[in-house]
Amino acid sequence: MYSKGATTAAGSKSVAGSSSCGPLLRARGIAKSFAGNTVLHSVDLDLHAGEVVGLLGENGAGKSSLMHILSGGLHPDSGTIEMDGQPTQIGTVSDGIEAGISFVHQELSVIGALSIAENLHLGRMPTTKRGFVDFGRMRSEAGALLSRVGASGIDPRREAGTLRAGEQQLIEIAKAAGRNPRLLILDEPTSSLTPHEVEGFFAYVRAARAAGTAIIFITHRLEEVLSLCDRLVVLRNGAIVSERRPAETTRQQLITDMTGKPAIYEYRQRQLRETTLALSLRQVCDSDHLENISFDVREGEIMGLFGLVGAGRTELLEVIHGARPLASGEMALFGTPVRHRDPSAAVRNGIALVPEGRKTAGILPQHSVRENAAISSLRRFSGTLFSDRKGDVTRMEVYRHRLGIRMARDTQPISTLSGGNQQKVIFARALMADPRILLLDEPTHGVDVGAKSDLYEIVVREAERGLTVLIASSEVPEILALCDRVAILSKGRLAGILSREEMSEDRILTMAFKEH
Amino acid sequence: MNQSLSFIRDLGKHREASVLAMLAAVAIYLSFASDYFLEPRNLLNVGRQASVVAIVALGQALVIIARGIDLSVGSVIGLSAVVGAVLMRDTGSETIGLVGGLATGLACGVVNGLLYTRFRINPFIATLGTLSIARGIALLMTGGIPVPFGGFAEFVGAGRIHNIPVSFLLMIVLAIIVHIFAVRTVTGREIYAIGDNPKASRLAGVNIHYIRLFVFALCGLLAGLGGLILAGNLASADPNLGMGYELDVIAAVILGGTALSGGRGSIIGVIIGALLMALLNNAFVLLGISAYWQVVTKGLVIIFAVGLDGLQRRGDDD
């Protein structure tokens, strides 16, 4: 079924109009592991001039590591890279740029205080004869670059920090385009773009392809790769599991390739005995984003919260958790009206959060595993002024088994654990606070497939014990695997609620796009 | 070159040990270089000199561990001493004078904390402002003329119990209390947590506003106590008292291994850092080196200490 061996020949056939000699880039046997955790097993990949390759795979499949290796940001443990048939050492990112490889990262690196024109010319600003910056030339060049990527509406004199995330993304793409790369790597470039911006961006990709650029396009949006790419490569657990032509495959087949099974985790039908309302929201608004959101969550229910980027998932969780002020509307917890001024009040009231962004908002990097797990429940278990250190040890042991956290000692720094294990510690932290409602914000971002299904198992088990769970996710399969119901947000409004029977990927996505 | 760098980096990892080693090295050198150094009178004097810096550094350490900084401690020392002395002079009551001095320190700390938590002013800027304001008030209250300050304050500042300076004993007692507070109490552990990652701590349910306000208030209170000791020692409250102390205090904290980036540091290290600063001061006096060199050396010591920190953490930034 997989056509791994035959790609080289098949790949070059698709290159219409470009030279018929070997591939632009040939990677062989690329392997990489971090602290004993193998992320890439001997990957072979060929890229041809004038070809758009869609790279698919779940989070943790090894896409980013592979792209960092190709662009010089990471060194492979073994394997070779050839460009134009010549073995190449791409030691650093600047080596990669030198060799004509540009990588547009998912994380934006636009410098907010500089103008767009300055951002686009960072490190290579044109100067006048007297040695001053030639602003006029920089502006006109910036304007030309912006219209190439379909953003001609943006004034290059504007401060970059005033742009929306989607516009900033276009700036990043224009920055890469300005280098006229031979290989352009785009990591989730469309996640924050509006449909109109996506069209302009696609036009740029097609033009670059016609000009002979090889393009790697990473995305989770299957429709986009199916319509844009010449070839689709699927990575799973650090190995290439399939290479397909868009015309000869289906979404379902690609999902199966990516996850290894039709669904990563099967939904288990659960009978909700409880009819108690754990959380009810009425006309909830924050100061700038959310508008009149009302819904109820029953005790023991797993409620999904789905939306595209900017839909307000995180904002809504922040309001419930007290991190963002509730501007108007009502919120009730088990029938009692509440209004939290600070997350500390919410945690005392039994609302715990596993935040999005494990590194920035989750872990205390200099603290041990045990201290990380205990931080939410210090006050709960301390009868006096002093913290309950013996109890912390016991509780850590309990949760280590309950959540299957793999570690040598609970005194080791949390930063020495793998991403999945760190996330389990953050789960342990939330559960130790003995919450009545557990809020999960993108709980499986950046964890490997194994840890992902462990985390799903934990969520379902805790819900069966009566814990109410509200899970915000941008991954439809995650919602389908876990949730009893899903609330779909679109541009800060509630677009609708789907029950288990009504839930399907198409309906969820259609609703999410409603306001767009 | 590389080897010596990695040696310095290893030193940085056990900062209390390395500062203790520096302390020992300076002490051994001085015991050979000066006949007078090992005299009990001199050693006790060093202890007394270290005590004010150390007591104020206890509060400063907690502020820095919580990822803040308090530049105003030197001025708070001066203002607290002046308020204490003026109240005592005008009411004739020692108690009112002492309580008033401590309350002034606490109030300054609370103001710093509120500027940070309520008005969201970066603590560096907020305390730079109060540094100037507190010094100005002290000068206004006295017209620039020192106020006599005796009685109990003099006992705390200059008195001795069994020949040991009272302020040194006070430093030891306070250091033990603050150490236990920092490592054993819930609030203490939350201070370390918010210094390590404030956003994560807030989302985990730590009341970061309360903790920040608390550390600044405590730092102010201890600076107030430092002011009473210093003025009591001189039996006079000079409105310029404590000028430049923030530098010594912050240097002691950083020398003792507390990370300016927060989340890391120990009280034992702070005390050793303060003793080292006092020993260096003593060295200049004993060896008869110009006091101007002392100022230069203080700066060098600070750069060396922070440089250790930078070398050790180099991997994080690249």
Side-chain angles (χ1 to χ4, degrees), chain A residues 17-97:
Chain A
S18 72
S19 63
S20 57
C21 57
L24 169 68
L25 184 141
R26 180 198 295 268
R28 284 291 172 272
I30 302 292
K32 180 75 191 170
S33 53
F34 293 110
N37 207 343
T38 307
V39 292
L40 289 173
H41 307 267
S42 186
V43 170
D44 297 346
L45 186 68
D46 287 348
L47 297 166
H48 299 268
E51 182 189 30
V52 181
V53 175
L55 185 62
L56 300 170
E58 301 197 286
N59 290 325
K63 290 172 296 183
S64 301
S65 302
L66 181 59
M67 291 305 108
H68 277 115
I69 286 170
L70 294 187
S71 62
L74 267 180
H75 294 274
D77 297 339
S78 61
T80 57
I81 298 174
E82 289 176 14
M83 281 193 84
D84 305 315
Q86 301 295 316
T88 343
Q89 279 285 345
I90 306 174
T92 62
V93 176
S94 37
D95 284 0
I97 292 173

Side-chain angles (χ1 to χ4, degrees), chain A residues 50-304:
Chain A
E51 182 189 30
V52 181
V53 175
L55 185 62
L56 300 170
E58 301 197 286
N59 290 325
K63 290 172 296 183
S64 301
S65 302
L66 181 59
M67 291 305 108
H68 277 115
I69 286 170
L70 294 187
S71 62
L74 267 180
H75 294 274
D77 297 339
S78 61
T80 57
I81 298 174
E82 289 176 14
M83 281 193 84
D84 305 315
Q86 301 295 316
T88 343
Q89 279 285 345
I90 306 174
T92 62
V93 176
S94 37
D95 284 0
I97 292 173
E98 196 87 347
I101 301 171
S102 274
F103 188 175
V104 178
H105 294 259
Q106 205 177 346
E107 300 87 33
L108 300 173
S109 63
V110 168
I111 298 174
L114 295 185
S115 75
I116 293 158
E118 286 169 307
N119 266 288
L120 291 176
H121 289 89
L122 223 60
R124 51 184 190 92
M125 287 193 189
T127 50
T128 62
K129 270 180 282 177
R130 291 182 176 184
F132 295 116
V133 175
D134 188 347
F135 283 100
R137 196 173 130 204
M138 203 159 75
R139 240 172 261 147
S140 61
E141 280 176 11
L145 271 179
L146 287 173
S147 52
R148 260 174 79 187
V149 299
S152 47
I154 304 177
D155 181 352
R157 283 171 300 187
R158 262 175 76 183
E159 218 172 78
T162 63
L163 298 175
R164 284 186 300 107
E167 292 172 323
Q168 293 194 6
Q169 181 72 65
L170 289 175
I171 303 298
E172 294 282 354
I173 294 164
K175 218 195 290 183
R179 298 194 198 105
N180 287 318
R182 303 181 65 202
L183 170 60
L184 177 60
I185 303 171
L186 300 159
D187 191 0
E188 298 261 6
T190 56
S191 59
S192 54
L193 300 187
T194 65
H196 179 70
E197 287 169 338
V198 169
E199 269 172 44
F201 162 68
F202 277 15
Y204 162 69
V205 171
R206 293 198 176 100
R209 165 169 59 191
T213 308
I215 294 158
I216 299 178
F217 182 33
I218 302 175
T219 184
H220 286 298
R221 297 190 178 168
L222 298 179
E223 317 75 45
E224 290 182 352
V225 285
L226 286 169
S227 76
L228 187 67
C229 299
D230 303 311
R231 182 155 63 100
L232 302 177
V233 175
V234 179
L235 266 178
R236 190 206 313 151
N237 293 338
I240 292 183
V241 292
S242 76
E243 302 209 13
R244 300 178 188 281
R245 318 239 139 246
E248 296 156 14
T249 188
T250 60
R251 292 167 57 99
Q252 197 47 51
Q253 187 159 43
L254 292 171
I255 291 173
T256 311
D257 287 350
M258 276 157 60
T259 59
K261 44 192 164 173
I264 171 180
Y265 188 91
E266 286 292 332
Y267 176 77
R268 282 185 236 152
Q269 191 58 50
R270 304 186 302 124
Q271 283 302 314
L272 287 175
R273 287 170 307 249
E274 297 292 338
T275 51
T276 319
L277 288 186
L279 176 73
S280 40
L281 305 177
R282 288 289 171 273
Q283 308 287 317
V284 163
C285 302
D286 72 347
S287 53
D288 58 344
H289 206 83
L290 303 171
E291 276 180 70
N292 297 328
I293 292 176
S294 308
F295 63 81
D296 296 317
V297 188
R298 284 183 293 166
E299 188 175 4
E301 188 173 31
I302 304 179
M303 180 77 162

